[in-house]
Structure formats: C-alpha cells, structure tokens
Amino acid sequence: MKNVLGIILNESRYSMYHLASIALFLLGFFVTFTASDLGPFAPLLVSGGIYLVALSILLQAVYWLKAFLRRMLGSWLAS
C-alpha cells in the first residue's frame, strides 16, 4: 500500500498518465457491472465499459513497453 501511495503521490511526469489509466479502468469496470439494469441499452453500455477497460490496459501496456525498450536500448542509443 505504501508503494501504491508513493507512485500516486510522486510528482513525476507520468503520474497523471497512470492516474487517468486507473480511472478509465475503474470507470469501465463500474459501467460494465452496473449496466445490466438498463434494459435494451445494457449491451451498448456493457460494450462501452469493456472498451474503456481494454483502452486502459492498452495504454499501460504501451507505456511499459516504451519504458522497457528505453531501458534496454538506452545504452545502445547513447553510444
């Protein structure tokens, strides 16, 4: 828990990126599981919630891939 708070409260340039990604994930999760009471509009909202979750996971995957490549190729690109 201390590490999570440290990441959220850290004033790095990527803090808002991670915070927005987590917010998208939670919003999509909430929409997906609460839309079943809306009758004919439920499939539309459920699919929208699933897309929000997929978007947030994709954003995090792209960020971590970029960070991994920067770390692995940083010394090679610097020379």
Side-chain angles (χ1 to χ4, degrees):
M1 187 69 178
K2 187 175 182 180
N3 290 336
V4 172
L5 286 176
I7 291 171
I8 291 173
L9 297 176
N10 188 7
E11 294 187 20
S12 72
R13 59 184 175 170
Y14 298 111
S15 294
M16 284 306 296
Y17 181 82
H18 293 301
L19 194 59
S21 180
I22 291 169
L24 278 175
F25 182 81
L26 292 176
L27 176 66
F29 190 76
F30 178 76
V31 166
T32 301
F33 285 105
T34 59
S36 62
D37 298 335
L38 296 175
F41 292 110
L44 181 65
L45 288 175
V46 168
S47 64
I50 291 171
Y51 289 140
L52 282 175
V53 170
L55 175 67
S56 70
I57 291 171
L58 180 67
L59 285 174
Q60 283 297 314
V62 167
Y63 170 78
W64 288 113
L65 177 66
K66 186 176 104 176
F68 174 75
L69 289 175
R70 187 181 329 127
R71 183 172 295 234
M72 289 295 126
L73 299 177
S75 60
W76 179 70
L77 291 173
S79 60

